[in-house]
Amino acid sequence: MHGAPILLTNTDWRHALLTNREQTLERIYAKVYPMALHYVKERGGSADDAKDIFQEALIVFYEKVVHDQLVLTASISTYLMAICKNLWLQELEKRARKTSLESLPPDIGALDSDEEIGSDTIQLKEFVNGLGDKCRDILVSFYYFGQKLEHITAKHGYRNIHTATVQKFKCLERLRKAVSHLSIERFHL
């Protein structure tokens, strides 16, 4: 039984999760987590990375099943591994972007002492840095790292996503006003 695929219909999964959630999730975890662990480790991740990715995948599966939003056309292990693979690829992309951003000199956004504001090229980073730490963090998190507003809401302690959205909009408007007098040709991205 341990090596056999877990094949249930959508209705069976929903019933199993609603009536005996803990045992059902433990059964899925025991069957599929080793595959996720192997996948993540083979692609440069750690056991902790694999746990995080698998738990996110399991939450997606659970919510879709319980809210009757899932039409399962493959085994649960195939479905969960597809989610894990997508989540791990997204994580690797985020890490690559973060690494490339961290490899820049810390003063990349600052003007050189002999550089004037009226020079032929102006770094957009200068204007983003001029917004302040909170606005810079929100805009970079959202637009550069592709973080969801839910994450930004939690990170900055906003009451809800709407508040974070409004703050992001205000920061973006401040940036637009700061660069409105310049033409696009003057920016060096």
Side-chain angles (χ1 to χ4, degrees), residues 6-127:
I6 307 172
L7 297 173
L8 296 174
T9 67
N10 295 337
T11 306
D12 293 337
W13 278 118
R14 189 168 193 278
H15 177 75
L17 287 169
L18 291 174
T19 58
N20 199 352
R21 181 182 60 194
E22 189 173 325
Q23 184 180 14
T24 304
L25 290 175
E26 285 175 3
R27 183 174 164 212
I28 294 169
Y29 204 95
K31 174 71 179 165
V32 185
Y33 174 70
M35 291 184 275
L37 176 64
H38 177 75
Y39 179 83
V40 170
K41 282 183 139 187
E42 286 290 311
R43 284 149 186 87
S46 66
D48 286 339
D49 292 329
K51 284 179 187 175
D52 291 343
I53 294 295
F54 186 72
Q55 287 171 357
E56 284 184 55
L58 206 51
I59 290 168
V60 169
F61 170 74
Y62 178 81
E63 289 177 351
K64 285 190 177 274
V65 169
V66 169
H67 294 100
D68 211 13
Q69 298 172 336
L70 177 67
V71 178
L72 200 59
T73 58
S75 71
I76 183 65
S77 58
T78 301
Y79 179 76
L80 284 171
M81 282 306 298
I83 295 173
C84 288
K85 288 175 182 180
N86 285 332
L87 290 172
W88 184 241
L89 289 174
Q90 289 173 6
E91 179 63 26
L92 289 175
E93 288 173 6
K94 283 181 189 174
R95 289 179 182 185
R97 284 193 300 256
K98 185 175 182 181
T99 301
S100 69
L101 186 63
E102 287 173 350
S103 67
L104 296 173
D107 62 345
I108 190 71
L111 287 172
D112 292 338
S113 58
D114 57 354
E115 185 178 10
E116 299 176 16
I117 293 288
S119 68
D120 289 339
T121 60
I122 297 174
Q123 298 254 344
L124 182 58
K125 293 175 199 138
E126 295 169 24
F127 290 99

